[in-house]
Amino acid sequence: MSLPSRLVELVSALRGHGVAVGSSETVDAAAVAGVLGLADRERLRAGLAAALLRGEGQRPVFDAVFDVCFPLGVGSPELARDQDWDLDRLRDELVAALADDDGDAVGRLAGIAVEAFGRYGGGFSAYEALERVRPQTLVARVLAESGGGGGGFTDRLERDEVRRRVESFREAVRTEARRRTAEARGRQRVLEHAVAPSADRVDFLVANRKQLAELRRAVQPLARKLATRLAARRRRANRGHIDIRRTLRRSLSTGGVPIHLAHRRRSPARPEIVLVCDLSGSVAGFANFTMLLVQALRDQFSKIRVFGFIDTVDEITHLVHTGAANPDSLGARVHSEATLSTWDGHSDYGRAFRHFAAHHADAIGPRTSVLILGDARTNGADPELAVLRDLLAPARHAHWLNPERTALWSTGDSEADRYATVVPMHECRNTRQLTTLVGKLLPT
Amino acid sequence: MTESGFFASVDDVVDRLAARGYLASAAVATTVFLADRLGRPLLVEGPAGVGKTELARAVSAATGSRLVRLQCYEGVDEARALYEWNHAKQLLRITAGRDEGWEAARADIFTEEFLLARPLLTAITGDEPTVLLVDEVDKADVEVEGLLLEVLGDFQVTVPELGTIVAKRKPFTVLTSNATRDLSDALRRRCLFLHIDFPDAELEQRIVRTKVPGVDEALAASLVRVVGALRAMELRKAPSVAETVDWARTLLALGADTLDDDLVRQSLGVIVKHQDDVTRVRDRLNLSEAGR
């Protein structure tokens, strides 16, 4: 297969995974390949990434696609061809390689593991291979093997480091399984189905633990981004009253002619945010994630109040504040310290809104922006549209973020479309959508 | 117009940057080589303190070219980035030539004599090889990006009164960003993208030993391991390479040759800058418990 068609395959696979690559970038990629040649694979990888990618978040997708389109080799690994590998021998060698932190050996062993234990149907399965080899059970042996280093300070780091090496072995197995399957079944299928989506496109509701950790990392810059955007909007003052003193001061540099006008800076409006979150089990992943965003935001906004509900509303602002050091346990603490549910732990939006209107209505004033987070699944109870409408009437802005796909709204017990008549409802399934929303929600 | 043509190969980049004290990873060296060879600007992103700005300085030192730096900040505008007419001097000129007609005066005051070149214009005029560093481009307003497009896309500047000034020699351009906001796609498309992450342990050890020659190998290895562990902890501010180097200097000043609990506890402030993080690190590394 020629280089241009391989590059085109790479590019179209990237597009399929939501990385916007234009044709001019494809031409750049070809120029890169022309300059670097194909001799050094890692250099080619770095070069193509430089030409094709526009952000670090796209890197994992790129790496996976690159490994399939420009495979490390062909067929089964050399060591696996002429020898028989049993599980014990593989595990022994893996322990030695992990103890020495020998990356090359770990990579080779991943190849052998897939070849010897990863056959599944007509292709290869990383899951199958990892289930047989079970590298996570080797940590203790690796620690014993590397001998603890003689009681130095850094010994206590050993366990975490070994865990990271084990994780890199698992990743190598996944890459190898994709490569072998691509050979057996054709690249196209693997490119379409076996590459994990980038972190900003993972649904909040179905994110697994590792993805959630990645989302968590995405939150911090998002909050900072929001803050800088906000600051920029506040400070732009190129209309309005003229500031005589500063204009005259400036005119000195132009011989007393006031060429550059200075405008009086507007006093910044302080946004106040009230957040109302559904914390029931069905949206737990989403709500926990949003709490993280709130926590990151609390430095930027002078006033932010957070309310949680399942069928009863309780203010949880103080919990979010004191939890600054440790966001992990926030969800658990909220559930143990706040009264969110008086019945059976099923969300009841209507009841929660009534309760809010009765006890916390003063939280919403003319300067407040209200964000409601939830899937609008009321478990068949009365949605109380009128109560919500009155509640939100004084607010400056109100928005509802729904972690479900628009197509699922108003299916089953969801009242999303009816609520959408009272308050603008937005689909907000992943970080990407949240980012766009954050831009739109800013008070201008 | 000639390409910058500084480097012969990727290995050449590694060697010459290393000679200037910048140890480049394979990805960094490859991308620098490509930017040089393809004549494209280089957009560098990454956490604070991994040597984004330093890269531009090292390239300029390694190739013996002048460094022109544009530091972006909120509110930076055309007059600070590109060029400005020297109004005061123009006024003087008009006052001095009282008797001449308007036509003559106008023809005279809009010439290069009255043009104050700012970094972007400086970088593309002149014959000597140039490295243009646009630092923290994400701090600038969106409008400035539009300004950069012409300069970075075609390496030319249009001054309405003078016409278009085209670069005689393409500068080697580095833009750095801390990703506080998304740069526009138009700008990104004109650049090669490079994300510099924290270096791997082996490279970081070499960096520490280059920057702090007095540190012995075992100490460098163990402090790099500790920093690596801190980075894996999801702190509010992960320690950067600059902080690793600072820490090595501190330990050297304290006369330490191995790490122990007391030493780490005392000098933790050098690498961890938030109180929350300090608490967290003490907790995870069992520092308080070991102090019994």
Side-chain angles (χ1 to χ4, degrees):
Chain A
M1 196 171 176
S2 69
L3 182 64
S5 54
R6 209 167 267 256
L7 281 175
V8 169
E9 189 180 55
L10 176 84
V11 166
S12 37
L14 285 174
R15 285 185 194 137
H17 288 283
V19 180
V21 183
S23 40
S24 69
E25 275 118 323
T26 318
V27 174
D28 287 348
V32 164
V35 170
L36 290 176
L38 300 176
D40 189 326
R41 185 162 171 268
E42 286 313 306
R43 278 181 190 169
L44 184 65
R45 183 198 294 265
L48 290 181
L52 294 173
L53 298 190
R54 296 291 164 257
E56 185 56 12
Q58 303 166 337
R59 189 62 197 244
V61 170
F62 172 82
D63 278 341
V65 170
F66 180 86
D67 281 326
V68 173
C69 288
F70 293 85
L72 192 54
V74 181
S76 52
E78 254 173 57
L79 282 169
R81 266 177 226 161
D82 40 1
Q83 305 173 24
D84 269 344
W85 286 80
D86 59 22
L87 201 54
D88 288 338
R89 180 171 163 213
L90 181 75
R91 282 165 64 94
D92 290 346
E93 294 212 5
L94 186 57
V95 167
L98 290 173
D100 288 352
D101 193 13
D102 182 348
D104 293 340
V106 169
R108 273 200 302 280
L109 289 168
I112 293 164
V114 171
E115 164 73 21
F117 309 111
R119 288 183 188 277
Y120 181 78
F124 294 87
S125 152
Y127 178 78
E128 197 75 11
L130 290 172
E131 275 299 292
R132 293 286 302 280
V133 180
R134 285 184 295 129
Q136 64 277 17
T137 58
L138 295 176
V139 173
R141 277 180 66 191
V142 175
L143 282 172
E145 183 93 356
S146 55
F153 177 79
T154 46
D155 282 0
R156 66 193 70 181
L157 310 175
E158 192 88 32
R159 180 170 288 271
D160 283 339
E161 284 178 2
V162 169
R163 284 214 186 93
R164 282 203 288 279
R165 281 179 224 154
V166 167
E167 191 44 50
S168 77
F169 172 75
R170 298 169 73 97
E171 198 50 56
V173 167
R174 284 185 204 112
T175 308
E176 177 71 8
R178 271 199 296 269
R179 180 182 77 81
R180 299 297 303 277
T181 311
E183 274 176 14
R185 295 223 174 133
R187 277 197 294 277
Q188 207 54 47
R189 267 184 77 133
V190 175
L191 286 176
E192 271 169 32
H193 301 296
V195 175
S198 59
D200 62 344
R201 303 182 128 228
V202 174
D203 274 21
F204 293 132
L205 290 179
V206 297
N208 60 30
R209 230 181 60 221
K210 188 178 159 210
Q211 287 165 334
L212 215 55
E214 273 171 39
L215 292 176
R216 200 165 289 159
R217 272 191 286 280
V219 169
Q220 204 68 37
L222 201 59
R224 211 172 50 209
K225 202 175 287 171
L226 177 58
T228 25
R229 278 283 290 279
L230 207 70
R233 289 195 182 202
R234 281 176 186 170
R235 259 175 240 172
R236 192 170 303 155
N238 51 7
R239 59 182 82 86
H241 293 288
I242 287 175
D243 186 334
I244 303 289
R245 197 186 62 79
R246 278 171 53 231
T247 304
L248 285 180
R249 178 68 191 78
R250 280 188 193 183
S251 75
L252 292 183
S253 70
T254 50
V257 185
I259 289 176
H260 301 292
L261 294 183
H263 294 268
R264 207 168 281 167
R265 292 202 179 101
R266 283 192 221 152
S267 63
R270 290 212 180 79
E272 295 171 11
I273 289 194
V274 167
L275 204 80
V276 186
C277 322
D278 179 356
L279 292 174
S280 67
S282 63
V283 288
F286 177 67
N288 282 343
F289 170 73
T290 316
M291 301 295 263
L292 277 162
L293 180 69
V294 172
Q295 205 164 64
L297 277 176
R298 98 190 140 83
D299 295 338
Q300 326 295 346
F301 290 108
S302 58
K303 285 186 91 176
I304 182 158
R305 293 180 74 180
V306 191
F307 296 89
F309 69 88
I310 292 173
D311 58 24
T312 312
V313 175
D314 198 1
E315 177 155 12
I316 52 175
T317 314
H318 56 289
L319 297 175
V320 179
H321 281 212
T322 53
N326 188 4
D328 303 335
S329 60
L330 181 62
R333 209 172 44 242
V334 165
H335 279 284
S336 62
E337 290 183 28
T339 318
L340 303 176
S341 161
T342 45
W343 294 94
D344 52 358
H346 286 99
S347 46
D348 180 343
Y349 281 69
R351 200 178 123 86
F353 290 141
R354 274 203 311 275
H355 191 253
F356 193 105
H359 296 275
H360 301 288
D362 57 330
I364 299 175
R367 293 171 66 182
T368 332
S369 301
V370 183
L371 277 183
I372 304 174
L373 309 161
D375 57 3
R377 295 198 175 272
T378 61
N379 292 300
D382 184 353
E384 300 278 12
L385 292 180
V387 174
L388 183 62
R389 187 179 296 123
D390 293 346
L391 198 59
L392 297 180
R396 180 190 272 181
H397 304 281
H399 295 275
W400 187 312
L401 309 189
N402 192 328
E404 285 194 331
R405 258 185 301 143
T406 322
L408 294 177
W409 292 4
S410 293
T411 57
D413 59 349
S414 168
E415 298 285 354
D417 282 342
R418 288 177 69 190
Y419 279 126
T421 59
V422 178
V423 47
M425 189 173 286
H426 311 274
E427 173 184 324
C428 179
R429 288 192 293 141
N430 49 40
T431 341
R432 171 174 302 203
Q433 287 177 340
L434 187 63
T435 314
T436 14
L437 265 170
V438 158
K440 273 197 277 178
L441 295 185
L442 284 181
T444 39
Chain B
M1 184 160 60
T2 50
E3 308 290 328
S4 38
F6 289 144
F7 300 103
S9 67
V10 178
D11 296 318
D12 187 35
V13 176
V14 174
D15 294 344
R16 284 165 68 184
L17 290 184
R20 294 292 162 172
Y22 189 93
L23 302 177
S25 67
V28 172
T30 310
T31 319
V32 166
F33 175 66
L34 284 171
D36 176 44
R37 201 39 86 81
L38 301 177
R40 300 286 290 275
L42 186 58
L43 173 62
V44 188
E45 280 189 358
V50 289
K52 298 188 291 290
T53 308
E54 201 54 40
L55 175 65
R57 284 212 197 92
V59 170
S60 122
T63 57
S65 42
R66 68 178 171 152
L67 179 69
V68 177
R69 176 171 178 165
L70 170 64
Q71 175 70 48
C72 294
Y73 48 89
E74 206 172 279
V76 69
D77 58 0
E78 214 176 8
R80 312 261 168 70
L82 207 50
Y83 68 87
E84 192 173 17
W85 289 107
N86 190 341
H87 296 300
K89 200 172 171 188
Q90 282 174 332
L91 284 172
L92 275 176
R93 166 70 188 73
I94 295 170
T95 334
R98 242 175 230 297
D99 320 333
E100 70 182 348
W102 165 241
E103 286 301 322
R106 192 182 63 178
D108 202 37
I109 60 171
F110 289 114
T111 53
E112 296 204 12
E113 193 193 341
F114 297 96
L115 196 64
L116 295 173
R118 301 296 186 214
L120 291 180
L121 185 61
T122 314
I124 67 162
T125 50
D127 296 326
E128 70 261 57
T130 305
V131 173
L132 169 62
L133 167 64
V134 183
D135 214 0
E136 305 197 346
V137 67
D138 53 327
K139 295 272 186 349
D141 302 322
V142 184
E143 294 80 0
V144 177
E145 279 184 25
L147 208 92
L148 285 171
L149 292 183
E150 189 190 12
V151 180
L152 300 182
D154 305 324
F155 292 99
Q156 64 178 34
V157 171
T158 306
V159 184
E161 295 87 349
L162 282 182
T164 302
I165 303 170
V166 183
K168 298 188 193 87
R169 222 191 140 105
K170 272 192 190 178
F172 180 94
T173 312
V174 179
L175 295 88
T176 73
S177 158
N178 286 324
T180 49
R181 71 177 172 82
D182 264 339
L183 301 175
S184 72
D185 266 359
L187 183 63
R188 286 174 179 270
R189 210 165 36 238
R190 282 166 177 78
C191 301
L192 290 176
F193 176 77
L194 171 65
H195 181 92
I196 304 188
D197 215 332
F198 297 123
D200 57 30
E202 189 258 343
L203 182 60
E204 188 158 22
Q205 276 178 44
R206 277 170 48 211
I207 294 173
V208 168
R209 301 200 61 206
T210 314
K211 299 273 177 196
V212 193
V215 168
D216 75 61
E217 198 168 340
L219 182 61
S222 50
L223 72 87
V224 165
R225 278 179 71 186
V226 174
V227 170
L230 298 188
R231 282 180 195 148
M233 275 182 206
E234 292 190 22
L235 303 176
R236 281 176 69 182
K237 164 82 178 69
S240 68
V241 183
E243 274 140 4
T244 317
V245 172
D246 279 349
W247 199 30
R249 287 213 181 95
T250 313
L251 293 180
L252 198 65
L254 291 174
D257 46 7
T258 50
L259 286 181
D260 59 47
D261 285 71
D262 277 340
L263 200 59
V264 176
R265 193 163 345 110
Q266 283 163 14
S267 56
L268 202 56
V270 181
I271 40 172
V272 183
K273 304 289 168 71
H274 283 286
Q275 189 51 43
D276 294 349
D277 289 353
V278 173
T279 326
R280 201 154 200 220
V281 169
R282 286 206 176 141
D283 208 32
R284 295 284 291 274
L285 291 183
N286 298 329
L287 282 178
S288 38
E289 173 196 358
R292 283 174 301 179

